[in-house]
Amino acid sequence: MGYNATPSHDVHIKVAAHLAGLGFIGHNTQVITSEYGPRVRWIAVLTDAELEPDEPYVHDLCAEQPRCQERSICVKSCPYQAIIPGPSQGVAPGEKVIRDRCVVAHKFDKDLEDKWAKHFQQISNFGSVSCTICNLVCPYGKADG
């Protein structure tokens, strides 16, 4: 259609997805959609096309989910208590997760301790999959959610 567009990682993707009406930033700091939960990978596309803006996402999915109202199951599931309990809204980026406690922060440690290594799956010498426990327990996007 003649518009310029390029993928970009220069945008705060979680905030952009929320402001674009695509999902809610949950207690585990991930963007949660009612259909897929936190199991969505996001990327921004910068374009010069004129687009109609959407409204920000208004549903507090954590507060609306009966299994999360009495306790945030994503926060409780973290084996290292790296996620600070409570909502993510209003918390400055980087202050909701205690980085040194999070498995992801230890992914590139020269000598990976066993307590961290058990939550990694080495795919190859060039890549691995790190802990996703907080995502896996989220009831959104599951058949029984």
Side-chain angles (χ1 to χ4, degrees), residues 6-144:
T6 186
S8 174
H9 291 286
D10 294 333
V11 174
H12 195 304
I13 300 292
K14 293 177 189 180
V15 173
H18 170 72
L19 292 175
L22 300 173
F24 174 77
I25 301 175
H27 291 187
N28 65 353
T29 76
Q30 301 300 309
V31 177
I32 300 171
T33 70
S34 56
E35 186 174 359
Y36 300 110
R39 295 163 201 88
V40 178
R41 297 297 171 248
W42 304 93
I43 190 164
V45 176
L46 302 178
T47 181
D48 59 3
E50 288 190 33
L51 303 171
E52 287 289 324
D54 290 319
E55 295 296 320
Y57 199 83
V58 295
H59 298 284
D60 181 337
L61 294 176
C62 296
E64 293 174 8
Q65 172 55 249
R67 293 166 62 187
C68 297
Q69 287 174 349
E70 51 192 71
R71 62 187 203 119
S72 300
I73 58 178
C74 60
V75 173
K76 300 282 186 191
S77 73
C78 179
Y80 305 107
Q81 294 89 41
I83 306 169
I84 297 169
S88 293
Q89 280 65 34
V91 178
E95 293 186 15
K96 177 74 166 113
V97 174
I98 302 168
R99 182 163 170 73
D100 288 341
R101 287 189 189 173
C102 183
V103 171
V104 176
H106 296 278
K107 186 174 191 171
F108 298 108
D109 287 0
K110 183 177 178 185
D111 297 313
L112 190 63
E113 295 178 36
D114 287 342
K115 73 176 186 175
W116 306 115
K118 69 182 178 182
H119 292 288
F120 286 107
Q121 178 185 1
Q122 192 69 32
I123 304 299
S124 72
N125 289 337
F126 303 105
S128 63
V129 176
S130 55
C131 180
T132 59
I133 293 171
C134 63
N135 287 355
L136 293 172
V137 300
C138 182
Y140 286 102
K142 290 183 167 186
D144 65 346

